[in-house]
Amino acid sequence: TAVGLYLTPRGAKGRVPLVISMHGGGGSPEIATYRGGSNYHDMVRGGLRRGYAVWAPTHLFRAEGYPQDIRQQTDQRLRLVGTTLMAVEAAKITRSLDVLLQRPEIDPKRVAMVGLSYGGFYALITPALDERIQTVVSSCYFGVQEYRYEKDEASVPGDFRTPVRFSLFTDDVVAALICPRPLEIQAGKTDQPTHREKGRELAPKVADYYARLNQSSRFRFVVFEGGHEFWDTTAWEWVSRHL
């Protein structure tokens, strides 16, 4: 079951593009939409103003009446059955697209995804998995996450006695799975260094992926004058240009 806000522009005629707008760990679809949008600014409403439909899903970071570490507890339980909360939440977005792209008001060939912070993380991994998402803006998370995958073919899933070898990869590899689709990565100049400096290091590698395909104009790394926030100025110009 996927829960969130689905908004369509008033007076729209014919099919319109769809933007998936993903909140971060400290937010929700409602926080990102109402009362000025907090540090999300126009991450939700900006799509509506440009005539796009917007799907703003809810991900599990906190829940009223549940422990503060409900996300960690849920992830631990999912790992016992061979998956993760990250995988489930990414799958919920792709399954939501299965439904939304059948709606008569949506143009299924014009889909974008934007996200801030943890939402910026999902704005990287979900398009890497789902090629229906054609344009991406990931804000204030690129380079924060590192991933490990099982490499030892002799290991048996679930058997903790079997030695397992792991290999590390970083966000530039995830971005390679999005290439050559348009990708903007944002970082705030006054944000925490952990949300910016590794991204500076990895961005040239991503730029090279696009350059090899003669698609350099489809990637940019933006360090904007701000902190941990969604930078509307470049984001919506990017989406409008490529969607």
Side-chain angles (χ1 to χ4, degrees):
T1 300
V3 177
L5 296 179
Y6 176 60
L7 307 106
T8 56
R10 290 181 178 179
K13 297 180 180 179
R15 293 179 178 266
V16 300
L18 174 69
V19 176
I20 305 162
S21 183
M22 193 67 245
H23 70 84
S28 68
E30 292 80 7
I31 289 173
T33 304
Y34 303 114
R35 298 193 179 190
S38 183
N39 58 329
Y40 298 97
H41 304 307
D42 266 355
M43 195 180 79
V44 174
R45 297 167 303 171
L48 284 174
R49 288 175 177 159
R50 288 160 176 79
Y52 311 145
V54 179
W55 167 236
T58 300
H59 280 183
L60 177 64
F61 291 101
R62 61 182 58 79
E64 186 175 349
Y66 288 84
Q68 289 293 314
D69 64 343
I70 184 62
R71 181 176 181 85
Q72 290 74 19
Q73 287 191 30
T74 304
D75 183 63
Q76 289 170 4
R77 294 182 68 185
L78 286 167
R79 288 173 186 270
L80 293 175
V81 294
T83 187
T84 64
L85 183 56
M86 178 191 77
V88 169
E89 289 180 330
K92 287 168 69 172
I93 296 174
T94 64
R95 292 296 297 273
S96 295
L97 281 180
D98 292 344
V99 175
L100 290 169
L101 297 187
Q102 295 183 47
R103 295 187 63 86
E105 70 271 21
I106 298 298
D107 183 345
K109 295 182 179 180
R110 300 173 69 194
V111 181
M113 186 167 182
V114 301
L116 170 67
S117 191
Y118 226 128
F121 162 68
Y122 279 99
L124 282 173
I125 65 165
T126 312
L129 297 168
D130 195 325
E131 293 183 351
R132 294 175 296 180
I133 302 171
Q134 289 297 305
T135 304
V136 179
V137 177
S138 173
S139 184
C140 297
Y141 206 88
F142 184 71
V144 175
Q145 189 74 37
E146 293 183 338
Y147 314 83
R148 294 181 182 274
Y149 69 95
E150 189 172 310
K151 193 176 180 181
D152 192 340
E153 296 179 357
S155 65
V156 179
D159 185 351
F160 299 105
R161 297 167 299 178
T162 305
V164 178
R165 294 183 294 132
F166 292 93
S167 180
L168 182 69
F169 63 101
T170 48
D171 278 336
D172 59 305
V173 179
V174 181
L177 296 173
I178 298 174
C179 178
R181 287 168 286 161
L183 169 63
E184 174 178 290
I185 295 171
Q186 301 182 344
K189 186 176 290 187
T190 59
D191 197 1
Q192 299 177 42
T194 54
H195 287 73
R196 181 184 58 255
E197 295 309 314
K198 186 67 174 181
R200 286 185 190 270
E201 176 186 325
L202 298 178
K205 298 181 181 180
V206 182
D208 184 57
Y209 301 147
Y210 283 80
R212 292 184 192 184
L213 299 176
N214 295 317
Q215 298 290 341
S216 293
S217 65
R218 289 180 163 225
F219 172 75
R220 70 182 179 192
F221 179 71
V222 177
V223 179
F224 60 85
E225 295 288 343
H228 196 69
E229 57 191 297
F230 187 75
W231 194 245
D232 294 296
T233 304
T234 62
W236 291 118
E237 181 274 328
W238 185 260
V239 171
S240 298
R241 188 200 315 174
H242 293 288
L243 192 57

